[in-house]
Amino acid sequence: SAPSELHAIRLATSMLAALFTLGVVGCTPIDDDDPQDGPFVGAIDAGDCEGDAYDEFMMGAEDPSPLTVDVDGSNLLVHLEDIDANCCPRPGADIDVSEGLIEIQFEDVTADDACGCMCVTDFDIEVEDVDPGSYTVDVYFNGSYLDSVEVEVV
């Protein structure tokens, strides 16, 4: 009957909300000190969980561009804001640089120990030793295109 189906939907929604909010913990910064030739990913920092990704989804929040890139000499600071990510991130990033293009493949969890919850958080990724020039920075998050920004490195 319709009332029991509505009750089942409400119960399932409540259970999903509880699953997404249980176990939310602070995020852990990861620092990669492995020197390399040419542009490379330096430190990756994850912010604290700022909210529940499920609640944001249910409120139908519009996502403005989550990507900003600041240039500091030959380094880029890539900032991802309000990203729906695993609440126990172990972030990692790979970079590919070609003529005028910097492509960053970013993942919030690089190990098999993801938590059973999601949260809204920020990430900062440092890209170091970028040669002078004009670049399009394309960022992919967990395999999906996120956004692009044009930068000038002098």
Side-chain angles (χ1 to χ4, degrees):
S1 72
S4 64
E5 288 176 15
L6 182 60
H7 178 71
I9 291 171
R10 286 184 182 156
L11 179 62
T13 303
S14 296
M15 290 175 65
L16 280 174
L19 287 174
F20 278 111
T21 58
L22 288 175
V24 174
V25 297
C27 301
T28 306
I30 301 295
D31 193 349
D32 181 3
D33 292 326
D34 187 23
Q36 301 176 10
D37 291 332
F40 63 96
V41 175
I44 301 174
D45 293 316
D48 292 329
C49 291
E50 298 172 359
D52 186 324
Y54 178 78
D55 288 342
E56 298 283 334
F57 172 75
M58 291 306 289
M59 293 183 337
E62 288 293 320
D63 290 331
S65 176
L67 173 65
T68 56
V69 179
D70 293 320
V71 179
D72 182 16
S74 65
N75 299 333
L76 304 179
L77 177 60
V78 179
H79 179 73
L80 305 174
E81 187 166 335
D82 294 337
I83 302 296
D84 294 340
N86 192 275
C87 57
C88 301
R90 297 197 185 285
D94 290 320
I95 183 170
D96 184 37
V97 180
S98 59
E99 187 66 33
L101 177 66
I102 298 173
E103 186 176 277
I104 300 171
Q105 297 282 343
F106 178 71
E107 295 182 11
D108 60 341
V109 179
T110 57
D112 291 334
D113 53 357
C115 295
C117 55
M118 300 291 286
C119 70
V120 178
T121 192
D122 300 340
F123 293 97
D124 289 312
I125 306 165
E126 291 180 30
V127 179
E128 301 178 6
D129 289 341
V130 178
D131 290 335
S134 297
Y135 294 93
T136 300
V137 179
D138 288 345
V139 177
Y140 294 81
F141 178 66
N142 291 338
S144 297
Y145 174 78
L146 187 63
D147 208 350
S148 292
V149 172
E150 302 289 325
V151 297
E152 181 76 27
V153 178
V154 290

mmCIF file of all heavy atoms in Angstrom, residues 34-71:
data_model
loop_
_atom_site.group_PDB
_atom_site.id
_atom_site.type_symbol
_atom_site.label_atom_id
_atom_site.label_comp_id
_atom_site.label_asym_id
_atom_site.label_seq_id
_atom_site.Cartn_x
_atom_site.Cartn_y
_atom_site.Cartn_z
ATOM 1 N N ASP A 34 59.243 13.407 -1.906
ATOM 2 C CA ASP A 34 60.067 12.704 -2.884
ATOM 3 C C ASP A 34 60.478 13.666 -4.001
ATOM 4 O O ASP A 34 59.644 14.071 -4.803
ATOM 5 C CB ASP A 34 59.263 11.530 -3.452
ATOM 6 C CG ASP A 34 60.102 10.645 -4.342
ATOM 7 O OD1 ASP A 34 61.337 10.651 -4.199
ATOM 8 O OD2 ASP A 34 59.507 9.927 -5.174
ATOM 9 N N PRO A 35 61.770 14.067 -4.062
ATOM 10 C CA PRO A 35 62.187 15.013 -5.108
ATOM 11 C C PRO A 35 62.178 14.351 -6.489
ATOM 12 O O PRO A 35 62.481 13.186 -6.629
ATOM 13 C CB PRO A 35 63.601 15.395 -4.678
ATOM 14 C CG PRO A 35 64.081 14.260 -3.845
ATOM 15 C CD PRO A 35 62.855 13.665 -3.189
ATOM 16 N N GLN A 36 61.820 15.143 -7.515
ATOM 17 C CA GLN A 36 61.761 14.653 -8.883
ATOM 18 C C GLN A 36 62.247 15.750 -9.814
ATOM 19 O O GLN A 36 62.350 16.910 -9.434
ATOM 20 C CB GLN A 36 60.322 14.300 -9.254
ATOM 21 C CG GLN A 36 59.719 13.247 -8.370
ATOM 22 C CD GLN A 36 58.257 13.009 -8.724
ATOM 23 O OE1 GLN A 36 57.758 13.487 -9.726
ATOM 24 N NE2 GLN A 36 57.575 12.267 -7.885
ATOM 25 N N ASP A 37 62.523 15.415 -11.072
ATOM 26 C CA ASP A 37 62.860 16.402 -12.081
ATOM 27 C C ASP A 37 61.575 16.965 -12.665
ATOM 28 O O ASP A 37 60.623 16.232 -12.901
ATOM 29 C CB ASP A 37 63.685 15.766 -13.200
ATOM 30 C CG ASP A 37 65.080 15.363 -12.729
ATOM 31 O OD1 ASP A 37 65.587 16.014 -11.789
ATOM 32 O OD2 ASP A 37 65.640 14.419 -13.304
ATOM 33 N N GLY A 38 61.551 18.276 -12.943
ATOM 34 C CA GLY A 38 60.399 18.901 -13.565
ATOM 35 C C GLY A 38 59.255 19.074 -12.593
ATOM 36 O O GLY A 38 59.400 18.873 -11.396
ATOM 37 N N PRO A 39 58.095 19.470 -13.111
ATOM 38 C CA PRO A 39 56.951 19.672 -12.231
ATOM 39 C C PRO A 39 56.576 18.388 -11.494
ATOM 40 O O PRO A 39 56.620 17.302 -12.064
ATOM 41 C CB PRO A 39 55.828 20.084 -13.181
ATOM 42 C CG PRO A 39 56.519 20.594 -14.394
ATOM 43 C CD PRO A 39 57.791 19.798 -14.490
ATOM 44 N N PHE A 40 56.249 18.537 -10.232
ATOM 45 C CA PHE A 40 55.828 17.391 -9.439
ATOM 46 C C PHE A 40 54.861 17.840 -8.368
ATOM 47 O O PHE A 40 54.779 19.017 -8.040
ATOM 48 C CB PHE A 40 57.033 16.662 -8.818
ATOM 49 C CG PHE A 40 57.814 17.502 -7.837
ATOM 50 C CD1 PHE A 40 57.561 17.418 -6.478
ATOM 51 C CD2 PHE A 40 58.807 18.355 -8.273
ATOM 52 C CE1 PHE A 40 58.274 18.196 -5.576
ATOM 53 C CE2 PHE A 40 59.531 19.121 -7.379
ATOM 54 C CZ PHE A 40 59.264 19.044 -6.024
ATOM 55 N N VAL A 41 54.108 16.896 -7.839
ATOM 56 C CA VAL A 41 53.161 17.169 -6.765
ATOM 57 C C VAL A 41 53.934 17.200 -5.465
ATOM 58 O O VAL A 41 54.646 16.257 -5.132
ATOM 59 C CB VAL A 41 52.048 16.106 -6.711
ATOM 60 C CG1 VAL A 41 51.155 16.341 -5.503
ATOM 61 C CG2 VAL A 41 51.234 16.129 -7.996
ATOM 62 N N GLY A 42 53.816 18.307 -4.738
ATOM 63 C CA GLY A 42 54.440 18.436 -3.426
ATOM 64 C C GLY A 42 53.471 17.969 -2.362
ATOM 65 O O GLY A 42 52.945 16.865 -2.427
ATOM 66 N N ALA A 43 53.186 18.835 -1.411
ATOM 67 C CA ALA A 43 52.289 18.482 -0.307
ATOM 68 C C ALA A 43 50.838 18.457 -0.777
ATOM 69 O O ALA A 43 50.435 19.217 -1.649
ATOM 70 C CB ALA A 43 52.446 19.492 0.830
ATOM 71 N N ILE A 44 50.077 17.557 -0.188
ATOM 72 C CA ILE A 44 48.635 17.502 -0.387
ATOM 73 C C ILE A 44 48.021 17.569 0.999
ATOM 74 O O ILE A 44 48.326 16.749 1.863
ATOM 75 C CB ILE A 44 48.184 16.204 -1.084
ATOM 76 C CG1 ILE A 44 48.860 16.056 -2.436
ATOM 77 C CG2 ILE A 44 46.666 16.183 -1.221
ATOM 78 C CD1 ILE A 44 48.565 14.739 -3.113
ATOM 79 N N ASP A 45 47.168 18.567 1.221
ATOM 80 C CA ASP A 45 46.519 18.714 2.517
ATOM 81 C C ASP A 45 45.020 18.583 2.357
ATOM 82 O O ASP A 45 44.433 19.128 1.420
ATOM 83 C CB ASP A 45 46.840 20.083 3.134
ATOM 84 C CG ASP A 45 48.307 20.216 3.498
ATOM 85 O OD1 ASP A 45 48.857 19.249 4.063
ATOM 86 O OD2 ASP A 45 48.887 21.278 3.208
ATOM 87 N N ALA A 46 44.410 17.872 3.294
ATOM 88 C CA ALA A 46 42.963 17.727 3.335
ATOM 89 C C ALA A 46 42.439 18.529 4.515
ATOM 90 O O ALA A 46 42.978 18.457 5.610
ATOM 91 C CB ALA A 46 42.569 16.253 3.497
ATOM 92 N N GLY A 47 41.402 19.305 4.285
ATOM 93 C CA GLY A 47 40.796 20.087 5.357
ATOM 94 C C GLY A 47 39.913 19.215 6.228
ATOM 95 O O GLY A 47 39.758 18.016 6.005
ATOM 96 N N ASP A 48 39.344 19.837 7.249
ATOM 97 C CA ASP A 48 38.408 19.126 8.119
ATOM 98 C C ASP A 48 37.072 18.971 7.411
ATOM 99 O O ASP A 48 36.705 19.784 6.560
ATOM 100 C CB ASP A 48 38.199 19.898 9.428
ATOM 101 C CG ASP A 48 39.450 19.903 10.280
ATOM 102 O OD1 ASP A 48 40.215 18.914 10.216
ATOM 103 O OD2 ASP A 48 39.669 20.891 11.008
ATOM 104 N N CYS A 49 36.349 17.937 7.769
ATOM 105 C CA CYS A 49 35.013 17.741 7.221
ATOM 106 C C CYS A 49 34.149 18.920 7.649
ATOM 107 O O CYS A 49 34.088 19.264 8.820
ATOM 108 C CB CYS A 49 34.417 16.433 7.711
ATOM 109 S SG CYS A 49 35.234 14.990 7.020
ATOM 110 N N GLU A 50 33.503 19.553 6.657
ATOM 111 C CA GLU A 50 32.724 20.752 6.920
ATOM 112 C C GLU A 50 31.226 20.482 6.915
ATOM 113 O O GLU A 50 30.442 21.360 7.214
ATOM 114 C CB GLU A 50 33.039 21.812 5.869
ATOM 115 C CG GLU A 50 34.492 22.222 5.893
ATOM 116 C CD GLU A 50 34.853 23.120 4.734
ATOM 117 O OE1 GLU A 50 33.980 23.414 3.896
ATOM 118 O OE2 GLU A 50 36.017 23.518 4.666
ATOM 119 N N GLY A 51 30.822 19.328 6.530
ATOM 120 C CA GLY A 51 29.404 19.035 6.448
ATOM 121 C C GLY A 51 29.208 17.634 5.930
ATOM 122 O O GLY A 51 30.146 16.920 5.636
ATOM 123 N N ASP A 52 27.991 17.258 5.828
ATOM 124 C CA ASP A 52 27.621 15.927 5.391
ATOM 125 C C ASP A 52 27.260 15.981 3.912
ATOM 126 O O ASP A 52 26.373 16.729 3.511
ATOM 127 C CB ASP A 52 26.430 15.453 6.228
ATOM 128 C CG ASP A 52 26.054 14.023 5.964
ATOM 129 O OD1 ASP A 52 26.152 13.581 4.804
ATOM 130 O OD2 ASP A 52 25.659 13.347 6.918
ATOM 131 N N ALA A 53 27.954 15.220 3.092
ATOM 132 C CA ALA A 53 27.705 15.221 1.655
ATOM 133 C C ALA A 53 26.267 14.832 1.342
ATOM 134 O O ALA A 53 25.656 15.367 0.423
ATOM 135 C CB ALA A 53 28.672 14.275 0.945
ATOM 136 N N TYR A 54 25.680 13.929 2.115
ATOM 137 C CA TYR A 54 24.295 13.511 1.891
ATOM 138 C C TYR A 54 23.348 14.687 2.114
ATOM 139 O O TYR A 54 22.445 14.933 1.325
ATOM 140 C CB TYR A 54 23.933 12.347 2.814
ATOM 141 C CG TYR A 54 22.503 11.902 2.672
ATOM 142 C CD1 TYR A 54 22.117 11.103 1.601
ATOM 143 C CD2 TYR A 54 21.531 12.301 3.571
ATOM 144 C CE1 TYR A 54 20.806 10.708 1.446
ATOM 145 C CE2 TYR A 54 20.217 11.912 3.430
ATOM 146 C CZ TYR A 54 19.856 11.115 2.363
ATOM 147 O OH TYR A 54 18.555 10.731 2.215
ATOM 148 N N ASP A 55 23.567 15.452 3.211
ATOM 149 C CA ASP A 55 22.719 16.610 3.490
ATOM 150 C C ASP A 55 22.832 17.641 2.382
ATOM 151 O O ASP A 55 21.844 18.229 1.960
ATOM 152 C CB ASP A 55 23.085 17.258 4.829
ATOM 153 C CG ASP A 55 22.661 16.405 6.020
ATOM 154 O OD1 ASP A 55 21.810 15.503 5.841
ATOM 155 O OD2 ASP A 55 23.186 16.640 7.126
ATOM 156 N N GLU A 56 24.055 17.888 1.899
ATOM 157 C CA GLU A 56 24.260 18.841 0.806
ATOM 158 C C GLU A 56 23.491 18.375 -0.435
ATOM 159 O O GLU A 56 22.860 19.166 -1.112
ATOM 160 C CB GLU A 56 25.749 18.967 0.477
ATOM 161 C CG GLU A 56 26.595 19.495 1.598
ATOM 162 C CD GLU A 56 26.473 20.989 1.783
ATOM 163 O OE1 GLU A 56 26.152 21.674 0.791
ATOM 164 O OE2 GLU A 56 26.674 21.454 2.904
ATOM 165 N N PHE A 57 23.550 17.067 -0.725
ATOM 166 C CA PHE A 57 22.846 16.513 -1.877
ATOM 167 C C PHE A 57 21.341 16.669 -1.719
ATOM 168 O O PHE A 57 20.640 17.080 -2.633
ATOM 169 C CB PHE A 57 23.212 15.032 -2.052
ATOM 170 C CG PHE A 57 22.399 14.338 -3.102
ATOM 171 C CD1 PHE A 57 22.637 14.555 -4.441
ATOM 172 C CD2 PHE A 57 21.383 13.470 -2.730
ATOM 173 C CE1 PHE A 57 21.884 13.919 -5.407
ATOM 174 C CE2 PHE A 57 20.621 12.830 -3.694
ATOM 175 C CZ PHE A 57 20.874 13.057 -5.037
ATOM 176 N N MET A 58 20.829 16.364 -0.532
ATOM 177 C CA MET A 58 19.385 16.427 -0.298
ATOM 178 C C MET A 58 18.879 17.868 -0.359
ATOM 179 O O MET A 58 17.743 18.112 -0.737
ATOM 180 C CB MET A 58 19.025 15.798 1.049
ATOM 181 C CG MET A 58 19.225 14.282 1.084
ATOM 182 S SD MET A 58 18.357 13.395 -0.232
ATOM 183 C CE MET A 58 16.669 13.582 0.299
ATOM 184 N N MET A 59 19.712 18.854 -0.003
ATOM 185 C CA MET A 59 19.306 20.254 -0.067
ATOM 186 C C MET A 59 19.406 20.795 -1.489
ATOM 187 O O MET A 59 18.980 21.903 -1.761
ATOM 188 C CB MET A 59 20.169 21.112 0.869
ATOM 189 C CG MET A 59 19.923 20.794 2.321
ATOM 190 S SD MET A 59 20.822 21.790 3.533
ATOM 191 C CE MET A 59 22.217 22.429 2.700
ATOM 192 N N GLY A 60 19.972 20.004 -2.399
ATOM 193 C CA GLY A 60 20.069 20.414 -3.798
ATOM 194 C C GLY A 60 21.021 21.580 -3.997
ATOM 195 O O GLY A 60 20.791 22.448 -4.824
ATOM 196 N N ALA A 61 22.093 21.613 -3.224
ATOM 197 C CA ALA A 61 23.041 22.725 -3.303
ATOM 198 C C ALA A 61 23.674 22.790 -4.689
ATOM 199 O O ALA A 61 24.066 21.780 -5.244
ATOM 200 C CB ALA A 61 24.122 22.561 -2.238
ATOM 201 N N GLU A 62 23.748 24.008 -5.235
ATOM 202 C CA GLU A 62 24.432 24.224 -6.503
ATOM 203 C C GLU A 62 25.924 24.273 -6.229
ATOM 204 O O GLU A 62 26.367 24.839 -5.241
ATOM 205 C CB GLU A 62 23.980 25.536 -7.129
ATOM 206 C CG GLU A 62 22.572 25.484 -7.677
ATOM 207 C CD GLU A 62 22.445 24.552 -8.865
ATOM 208 O OE1 GLU A 62 23.350 24.527 -9.721
ATOM 209 O OE2 GLU A 62 21.439 23.843 -8.922
ATOM 210 N N ASP A 63 26.714 23.684 -7.102
ATOM 211 C CA ASP A 63 28.155 23.667 -6.933
ATOM 212 C C ASP A 63 28.787 24.725 -7.834
ATOM 213 O O ASP A 63 28.823 24.553 -9.049
ATOM 214 C CB ASP A 63 28.727 22.295 -7.292
ATOM 215 C CG ASP A 63 28.350 21.230 -6.292
ATOM 216 O OD1 ASP A 63 28.154 21.583 -5.120
ATOM 217 O OD2 ASP A 63 28.256 20.065 -6.687
ATOM 218 N N PRO A 64 29.288 25.840 -7.229
ATOM 219 C CA PRO A 64 30.074 26.764 -8.046
ATOM 220 C C PRO A 64 31.398 26.097 -8.372
ATOM 221 O O PRO A 64 31.699 25.025 -7.849
ATOM 222 C CB PRO A 64 30.269 27.966 -7.119
ATOM 223 C CG PRO A 64 30.190 27.386 -5.746
ATOM 224 C CD PRO A 64 29.231 26.221 -5.851
ATOM 225 N N SER A 65 32.198 26.710 -9.218
ATOM 226 C CA SER A 65 33.483 26.112 -9.560
ATOM 227 C C SER A 65 34.286 25.873 -8.294
ATOM 228 O O SER A 65 34.552 26.795 -7.528
ATOM 229 C CB SER A 65 34.268 27.022 -10.497
ATOM 230 O OG SER A 65 35.533 26.462 -10.743
ATOM 231 N N PRO A 66 34.665 24.623 -8.037
ATOM 232 C CA PRO A 66 35.397 24.303 -6.814
ATOM 233 C C PRO A 66 36.903 24.523 -6.927
ATOM 234 O O PRO A 66 37.632 24.294 -5.979
ATOM 235 C CB PRO A 66 35.105 22.814 -6.647
ATOM 236 C CG PRO A 66 34.980 22.319 -8.058
ATOM 237 C CD PRO A 66 34.337 23.443 -8.824
ATOM 238 N N LEU A 67 37.386 24.992 -8.098
ATOM 239 C CA LEU A 67 38.819 25.013 -8.386
ATOM 240 C C LEU A 67 39.356 26.436 -8.453
ATOM 241 O O LEU A 67 38.825 27.276 -9.180
ATOM 242 C CB LEU A 67 39.073 24.305 -9.720
ATOM 243 C CG LEU A 67 40.483 24.349 -10.279
ATOM 244 C CD1 LEU A 67 41.462 23.610 -9.375
ATOM 245 C CD2 LEU A 67 40.498 23.757 -11.685
ATOM 246 N N THR A 68 40.423 26.698 -7.696
ATOM 247 C CA THR A 68 41.202 27.924 -7.858
ATOM 248 C C THR A 68 42.667 27.517 -7.889
ATOM 249 O O THR A 68 43.066 26.538 -7.259
ATOM 250 C CB THR A 68 40.973 28.943 -6.724
ATOM 251 O OG1 THR A 68 41.262 28.333 -5.476
ATOM 252 C CG2 THR A 68 39.549 29.466 -6.724
ATOM 253 N N VAL A 69 43.469 28.279 -8.640
ATOM 254 C CA VAL A 69 44.897 28.011 -8.730
ATOM 255 C C VAL A 69 45.628 29.339 -8.543
ATOM 256 O O VAL A 69 45.376 30.302 -9.264
ATOM 257 C CB VAL A 69 45.287 27.391 -10.092
ATOM 258 C CG1 VAL A 69 46.781 27.158 -10.165
ATOM 259 C CG2 VAL A 69 44.527 26.084 -10.318
ATOM 260 N N ASP A 70 46.522 29.376 -7.551
ATOM 261 C CA ASP A 70 47.372 30.535 -7.311
ATOM 262 C C ASP A 70 48.786 30.197 -7.756
ATOM 263 O O ASP A 70 49.255 29.074 -7.559
ATOM 264 C CB ASP A 70 47.372 30.909 -5.823
ATOM 265 C CG ASP A 70 46.016 31.408 -5.352
ATOM 266 O OD1 ASP A 70 45.369 32.159 -6.112
ATOM 267 O OD2 ASP A 70 45.599 31.043 -4.243
ATOM 268 N N VAL A 71 49.473 31.188 -8.347
ATOM 269 C CA VAL A 71 50.853 31.013 -8.801
ATOM 270 C C VAL A 71 51.770 31.714 -7.812
ATOM 271 O O VAL A 71 51.560 32.873 -7.456
ATOM 272 C CB VAL A 71 51.044 31.598 -10.214
ATOM 273 C CG1 VAL A 71 52.493 31.439 -10.666
ATOM 274 C CG2 VAL A 71 50.094 30.942 -11.198
#
